[in-house]
Amino acid sequence: RILITGGDGAGILSTTEVYNTDGSFSGAAPMSGARSRHASVLLSDGRVLAMGGIDQDGFILSSAEVYDPVADAWSEVPSGMTEPRLNHTATLLDDGRVLIAGGFFIGDDGWAGLTSAVLYQP
């Protein structure tokens, strides 16, 4: 199954859908907030981490949330990321942590690339 989260539609979306192996789509609980241009990664325990991106007001996000497919529910990650970012990568490491790297933010001089990385421990 594939979890499809947020994105751009008629504005930035908080909706989620599941693409099933039989080719059908089914609804899932919406994220706690709208986000697009974020990163998501499947965690070792079957949950999905979604982090960063941009919201409906154009703010770049440092927040993160986790989807539990068994409960069909999202929960916010209290600490989020150390800095806002969008268009970044998220890679599950062998030890279960997630490496969140790169991306962009808006600085005093406009768009700027990030060279920093952060580790998330589920």
Side-chain angles (χ1 to χ4, degrees):
R1 300 183 323 154
I2 299 170
L3 183 67
I4 304 164
T5 60
D8 296 302
I12 307 297
L13 305 173
S14 63
T15 56
T16 61
E17 292 183 79
V18 175
Y19 177 74
N20 301 296
T21 56
D22 65 2
S24 66
F25 287 88
S26 55
M31 293 184 289
S32 62
R35 64 178 74 225
S36 179
R37 301 168 77 179
H38 56 287
S40 297
V41 65
L42 178 64
L43 301 174
S44 300
D45 62 5
R47 297 178 304 149
V48 176
L49 172 68
M51 79 276 343
I54 193 166
D55 71 8
Q56 67 275 12
D57 296 321
F59 292 108
I60 299 176
L61 304 170
S62 61
S63 63
E65 53 190 307
V66 175
Y67 177 70
D68 180 343
V70 174
D72 186 30
W74 289 90
S75 58
E76 290 190 45
V77 174
S79 58
M81 297 184 297
T82 56
E83 54 192 330
R85 60 181 75 219
L86 59 87
N87 292 353
H88 49 289
T89 63
T91 304
L92 181 66
L93 303 176
D94 289 340
D95 64 4
R97 296 180 301 165
V98 176
L99 175 65
I100 302 162
F104 294 89
F105 73 102
I106 300 175
D108 295 335
D109 297 324
W111 289 96
L114 288 167
T115 59
S116 62
V118 64
L119 286 170
Y120 168 74
Q121 176 69 51

